[in-house]
Amino acid sequence: MLPILGALILQSMYSAVDLMIVGKFGTTEGISGVSTGASILQLFTMVIVSLTTGVTVIMGQYIGLDKSHKIGKLLGNAVCFFTVLGLILSAILAVFAKQIALLMQAPTEAVELTAQYIRICGFGFLSVVFYNFISCIFRGMGNSRLPLLFVGIACAVNVIGDLVLVAGLKMNVSGAAIATVMSQTASVLISLLVIKKQKLPFSLKREDFHFGSEIKRFFRIGAPLALQDILTNVTFLAICAFVNRLGLEASSGYGVAQRLVGFVMLIPISIIQSMSSFVAQNVGAGLEKRAKQAMQCGMLIGGIIGIPVAILAFFNGDVLSSFFTDDTAVIARSFEYLKGFAIEAVVTSILFSFLGYFNGHSRSGFVMVQGLIQSIVIRLPFSYVMSIQENATLTGIGFAAPAATIAGIVMCMIYYIVINRQKKAECDKT
C-alpha cells in the first residue's frame, strides 16, 4: 500500500501543480479551464484504471494458483485491447474538445481555455493508458515500488515543464497541458526501459499479442467497474456543471477544492488498489481468513489517517486553498466546499476497504451496483437540490459525497453478511 500511496501522491501532483502554477502565473479563467479539463480527463483515466484492475485481479489469481504460465497470454491480449481503446479515447478528446467544454457548461470566459487543455491532453492520452497498464502489471505481481519510481520521474518532468512553459513562457493553460503530456510520455518510455532489465515471473511471446480469450476474462471483471466509474464520474461532471452555473468564482473555487480533494482521497484509493491484488492472491491460494484481515486492516489504517485529515479540511480549508491561488473570493468558495466534504476523508476508507475485498473475489458486479445507487440515487439529486437553493453555497454540494458514501457502506455491510452466510451454508452442506 505505501508505494502505491507514494505513487498516487506524486500522480496527484500533475493536475495540482498545473492548477497551482496557472493560479500563480496565469489567469482566473485559466484556473477554471484546467479544473474543468482535468475533471474530463479524470473520467477517461478512471475507465482505463478500472479495466486494468481486471488484469491485476486475474494476474493475482494466476499467481496464487501457481499458474504463472498463463500470464503471458493475458498481458499480450491486454496490450492489443488497450492500444485500440487508447487510440479511440484519444481521438474523442482531441476532436470533440470544444463540444465537451460546452457540455460541461464551462464559464463563457473559460470555454476556449478548457477546450485547449482537453485537446492537447487528448493527443497524449495513449501515454496515460500505458502508464496505468504497466502499473497494473507490477501490482498484479505484488510489486508496487516500480510504479512509484515511474510516476516520480513523470512528476519531476511535469513540474519542470510547468515552470518553463507557464511561469517562464506565459503559455497559461496550453503550457500546463503540454507539460502533462510530456511527463506521461517520459514515464512510459522510462518504464519500458526498466521492464527490459527486470527478471519477470512469466514469459511474453510474439504469439501472445492478439485478441484472444483472456480479454473476456479481465473484461468481465473490469467492465462493471469501468461502467460504475463512468457513471460515477459523469455525476461528478454534472456536479461540476451545477457549480459552473453559479459563476466564475464558484467554478474556480470548486476547481481548487477538487485538487485538495484529490489528495484527501489518496489513502482510500491506495487501500483499494493494493487490497484488490492482495485479496486476489490470497483467494487464489485459499487463504480467506487472511483476505478478511486485510479488509479490516484497511479500515483501521484509513480511519486513523482520515480523522486528522478531515479536521484539517474542515477547520483550515482556507489555508490549504491559498496554496493554489491568491484570489480571496476563490479561496472562500473552495473552503465552503471543503467544509461539507471533510468527513469523506474517514468514511471513504471504510467503503473502499469493502470494495477492494469484493474486487479481489471477482465480485465487481455488486461493486458496480452499489456505486450506481450512490451516484444516481443520492449524490447527483442531493447536489442539484443544494445548487438551486437561494444564495446557494458549495458546502451543501460538498456534503453530497459523504452522504452517498455512508449509504454505500450500509449496502456493503449487508452484502458482506449475505455472502458469508452463503459460504457458511455451503460449508455445512459439505
Side-chain angles (χ1 to χ4, degrees), residues 352-423:
F352 279 21
S353 295
F354 272 123
L355 300 185
Y357 174 82
F358 295 140
N359 284 341
H361 284 78
S362 301
R363 294 180 179 267
S364 55
F366 168 76
V367 173
M368 176 190 71
V369 171
Q370 67 80 35
L372 297 183
I373 294 173
Q374 276 192 68
S375 301
I376 298 173
V377 178
I378 301 172
R379 186 184 299 114
L380 190 60
F382 195 116
S383 300
Y384 177 73
V385 170
M386 291 296 103
S387 71
I388 61 174
Q389 299 300 306
E390 187 176 354
N391 298 320
T393 69
L394 299 186
T395 301
I397 297 174
F399 186 69
T405 299
I406 292 169
I409 291 172
V410 173
M411 288 185 281
C412 286
M413 291 176 65
I414 295 171
Y415 186 67
Y416 179 77
I417 292 170
V418 169
I419 63 173
N420 276 278
R421 285 180 177 174
Q422 290 175 347
K423 289 179 182 177

Side-chain angles (χ1 to χ4, degrees), residues 109-122:
E109 308 93 319
V111 169
E112 289 299 329
L113 293 178
T114 302
Q116 197 176 89
Y117 187 87
I118 294 171
R119 185 176 298 111
I120 294 172
C121 290

Side-chain angles (χ1 to χ4, degrees), residues 220-235:
R220 188 165 53 241
I221 297 173
L225 300 178
L227 178 60
Q228 175 209 334
D229 281 330
I230 289 172
L231 296 178
T232 298
N233 278 278
V234 165
T235 64

Side-chain angles (χ1 to χ4, degrees), residues 305-328:
I305 299 175
I307 290 172
V309 171
I311 292 172
L312 181 64
F314 187 84
F315 291 103
N316 299 105
D318 53 344
V319 177
L320 298 174
S321 302
S322 66
F323 285 105
F324 292 91
T325 180
D326 297 324
D327 190 320
T328 55

Side-chain angles (χ1 to χ4, degrees), residues 27-34 37 101 108-119 171-174:
T27 62
T28 300
E29 293 82 359
I31 295 175
S32 179
V34 170
T108 305
E109 308 93 319
V111 169
E112 289 299 329
L113 293 178
T114 302
Q116 197 176 89
Y117 187 87
I118 294 171
R119 185 176 298 111
M171 293 178 66
N172 203 15
V173 169
S174 61

Side-chain angles (χ1 to χ4, degrees), residues 242-303:
F242 298 159
V243 172
N244 284 343
R245 291 188 306 178
L246 300 178
L248 183 60
E249 289 177 353
S251 173
S252 299
Y254 177 76
V256 169
Q258 286 304 300
R259 300 289 73 75
L260 293 167
V261 164
F263 285 101
V264 170
M265 295 297 289
L266 294 181
I267 294 293
I269 294 173
S270 62
I271 287 173
I272 191 172
Q273 288 191 3
S274 56
M275 193 171 302
S276 296
S277 174
F278 186 89
V279 170
Q281 290 191 21
N282 282 279
V283 168
L287 301 174
E288 177 60 30
K289 182 178 178 181
R290 197 161 184 249
K292 290 180 179 178
Q293 290 173 338
M295 180 184 72
Q296 295 162 1
C297 185
M299 293 178 181
L300 180 62
I301 292 172

